[in-house]
Amino acid sequence: MNQPTLADTLFPLAATAGDPPRIAPDDTVPALSELNWADIYAQLSEQGVALTPPLLSRAQCEGIIDTFDELDLFRSTVIMQRHGFGRGLYKYYADPAAVPLLQVLREKLYPPMAWMANQWALQLNERTFPTTLGELLLECAANGQHRPTPLILRYGRGDYACLHQDVYGDVVFPLQITIMLNQPDEDFTGGENVFVEQRPRSQSRAVVLKPRLGQGMIFPVRHRPVRSGTAYRRHSVRHGTNAVDSGRRNTLGIIFHNAR
């Protein structure tokens, strides 16, 4: 008889939607097929954010960093201080398919991410999401959301991001992933990731993470379910980045819904 997993023990509603889909082995990102999504889901539901093992090699991370200066790859550049977002730069890719590694990550990560999102939907009596990225993007297009949202962020000394949420339209896929492209304490110092959860009738809770090169952080776009007695409540979550003390910090943000 199979022993119950941590996810089954802590969050029994997950069992109503079956097991998480497996990612088929792929030579581009072999680490994806080795991820234990039930454990990632348990970590995400317990802590509000989940840290994966390294997904990308240093060479792959450097390849993504190199795209930052290829102007034709991007639809827009945001200078954060002009908008009160913090300080630093980020750029939205015009077409994720133009960066094959990015396209592989977005397409292959989506199905297990949708499985986790749909567990939360059951708990919060919210809508569920399709099982493929293509179906989600068709829904976005029908709602006037055509602009891709994967982005690369670059912070230098003193740069930071204010707490925020990445919503972009009425169709909002509830989870996203950010992948660290540099090695903390070698390529840069400071710049920790901060997640703040607003708890009803209570003080806010902060989680600070310092992922290593190639690791991914999976976290809510807007809110997450938290058990309260026999029911679940929505806890709003925002994310940001502490100031970089030295060096240069680059991350890849993969958001699955498109923007208006």
Side-chain angles (χ1 to χ4, degrees), residues 26 34 70 78 87 102 153 164-165 167 171 186 207 212 221 237 239 246:
D26 187 302
E34 300 173 3
E70 297 182 34
V78 177
R87 200 177 96 176
L102 171 57
L153 303 96
H164 65 283
Q165 297 175 326
V167 176
V171 178
E186 294 182 15
V207 175
R212 309 298 289 173
V221 171
V237 179
H239 62 278
S246 65

Side-chain angles (χ1 to χ4, degrees), residues 80-81 84-90 151 153-156 158-166 191-196 238-244 249 251:
M80 296 169 65
Q81 51 267 46
F85 296 164
R87 200 177 96 176
L89 291 173
Y90 60 86
L151 69 163
L153 303 96
R154 173 168 290 179
Y155 299 147
D159 291 348
Y160 64 96
C162 297
L163 294 171
H164 65 283
Q165 297 175 326
D166 300 307
E192 296 84 2
N193 291 86
V194 181
F195 305 88
V196 175
R238 295 181 297 162
H239 62 278
T241 305
N242 280 341
V244 172
R249 177 189 188 275
T251 57

Side-chain angles (χ1 to χ4, degrees), residues 73-150:
L73 290 177
F74 300 97
R75 64 175 177 84
S76 65
T77 298
V78 177
I79 301 172
M80 296 169 65
Q81 51 267 46
R82 289 183 179 175
H83 306 277
F85 296 164
R87 200 177 96 176
L89 291 173
Y90 60 86
K91 297 182 178 184
Y92 290 103
Y93 289 95
D95 179 8
V99 183
L101 178 56
L102 171 57
Q103 183 73 351
V104 167
L105 288 167
R106 198 182 190 207
E107 289 186 348
K108 289 187 173 293
L109 284 168
Y110 177 81
M113 297 275 279
W115 177 85
M116 295 192 296
N118 288 338
Q119 311 312 302
W120 282 7
L122 292 174
Q123 295 166 3
L124 293 174
N125 294 317
E126 295 180 345
R127 62 151 296 179
T128 57
F129 289 85
T131 58
T132 68
L133 179 64
E135 292 172 292
L136 176 70
L137 297 183
L138 284 174
E139 183 179 341
C140 287
N143 195 59
Q145 296 174 219
H146 300 282
R147 297 187 297 164
T149 48

